[in-house]
Amino acid sequence: FMVDESGVLEKYVQELIKRKREFRLFTNVRFNYVWKLVKPEYNEKEGRPLEAAIKLLPPRERDLYNFDVEIKVYQQWWQEKNHKQRVQLINHELMHLEVEVDEAMQVRCDDDGRVKLRLLPHDVYIVGFKQEWNEYGIPVEAKQVLQSIVRENKNRDRTEAS
């Protein structure tokens, strides 16, 4: 591992925080950016290598190092991808992060003044086997999720075009 002293990863995160309303509360979060230099872990659940990961740091590390969250990116993958793919990757990792707020939408802190954070799981998860789906068809549940996503994208595309 190597800390990203170039500021490249931070630049992508900061651009997304400025641009996307759902990330605005992340201005209260202290990020540490790290390059993974060796081969990435393989995610058995998703059936692919992990290009990046986000991790909440434990309270002791948050206090000692002044970081709340670590974003780790597999460096070789990053170098092989274009700008849009990089933005999507960082966006994906930020989607996992949530800053807790109270009823008045004020950031909640713990007793030691640290911002309360949590990691969110994916909200779309489809599993299966290509061979199975080719032979027996796409399961109804998967079709419903995919159709919903396609509809949302078509609506967004129409809105952007007008």
Side-chain angles (χ1 to χ4, degrees):
F1 295 100
M2 181 176 73
V3 172
D4 175 27
E5 294 178 359
S6 70
V8 170
L9 295 174
E10 180 178 17
K11 182 181 134 204
Y12 278 82
V13 168
Q14 293 307 317
E15 282 179 20
L16 283 164
I17 289 172
K18 277 188 226 162
R19 192 170 49 121
K20 299 188 82 172
R21 189 176 51 202
E22 62 266 33
F23 296 154
R24 285 192 188 142
L25 290 176
F26 295 171
T27 57
N28 298 290
V29 178
R30 301 168 300 174
F31 291 93
N32 187 27
Y33 307 98
V34 178
W35 293 116
K36 183 167 173 88
L37 304 175
V38 296
K39 187 176 178 182
E41 299 96 40
Y42 190 80
N43 185 329
E44 294 289 335
K45 204 173 182 183
E46 295 180 23
R48 63 181 183 85
L50 285 176
E51 293 99 9
I54 190 166
K55 172 178 125 177
L56 298 182
L57 297 176
R60 180 178 179 276
E61 288 182 33
R62 291 176 75 177
D63 293 341
L64 284 174
Y65 305 117
N66 289 317
F67 293 115
D68 302 308
V69 173
E70 178 181 277
I71 294 181
K72 173 177 59 177
V73 177
Y74 177 47
Q75 190 176 43
Q76 184 178 339
W77 181 93
W78 185 267
Q79 292 168 344
E80 294 169 356
K81 301 305 174 188
N82 64 39
H83 176 73
K84 184 176 180 179
Q85 291 167 318
R86 292 172 178 180
V87 171
Q88 182 178 0
L89 178 74
I90 297 299
N91 184 83
H92 177 95
E93 295 310 317
L94 291 176
M95 294 290 297
H96 284 290
L97 186 62
E98 182 177 71
V99 174
E100 292 188 34
V101 293
D102 61 19
E103 300 80 28
M105 295 302 292
Q106 297 300 308
V107 173
R108 296 182 69 194
C109 295
D110 65 15
D111 293 338
D112 293 316
R114 292 180 293 259
V115 174
K116 286 190 171 187
L117 303 166
R118 69 174 147 238
L119 289 181
L120 304 173
H122 293 118
D123 62 359
V124 175
Y125 194 73
I126 302 173
V127 295
F129 294 95
K130 184 177 167 183
Q131 179 184 357
E132 171 191 7
W133 291 14
N134 284 336
E135 188 172 342
Y136 299 103
I138 299 172
V140 172
E141 309 83 39
K143 281 183 183 177
Q144 291 169 341
V145 170
L146 294 170
Q147 287 169 344
S148 169
I149 292 168
V150 167
R151 268 194 307 276
E152 288 175 21
N153 279 301
K154 281 183 182 175
N155 290 339
R156 186 195 70 223
D157 292 346
R158 278 191 211 117
T159 305
E160 289 175 358
S162 43

